[in-house]
Amino acid sequence: MITSGQIRAARSLLKWTGKELAEFSGVAFSTLMRLETGEGVPAAQAKTLDSIQKAFEKAGLEFIGSPEDGAGVRWKSKK
């Protein structure tokens, strides 16, 4: 599961607005803003978090670590 901090960090890396993330993920803007404000894994349906993660991964990011230990985000390596 991705964390609120990872969502914020990924959006920052891509320089996406909240509206752009809403468009690319299919998740409502107001929902995204709520999910970003918390700490840890946001209280949301798994499919919502999956849609957000897939949008970021399609844009070239990958999620690393776990919510309990070193959760982060980085650019995918170009192998």
Side-chain angles (χ1 to χ4, degrees):
M1 267 316 141
I2 61 174
T3 66
S4 295
Q6 285 175 302
I7 296 170
R8 290 189 301 269
R11 197 160 64 80
S12 179
L13 274 173
L14 292 168
K15 296 184 172 101
W16 282 359
T17 65
K19 292 189 188 277
E20 287 171 317
L21 177 54
E23 179 183 332
F24 298 136
S25 68
V27 175
F29 173 78
S30 59
T31 299
L32 291 168
M33 295 303 98
R34 179 179 55 81
L35 296 178
E36 281 192 6
T37 61
E39 292 300 322
V41 176
Q45 292 184 10
K47 72 177 190 170
T48 300
L49 296 177
D50 189 54
S51 294
I52 296 167
Q53 184 169 345
K54 281 184 170 44
F56 287 136
E57 288 172 344
K58 187 174 181 183
L61 301 181
E62 67 180 340
F63 292 85
I64 57 173
S66 69
E68 299 81 25
D69 183 41
V73 62
R74 67 182 176 198
W75 294 104
K76 288 181 190 172
S77 63
K78 306 216 189 240
K79 292 181 181 180

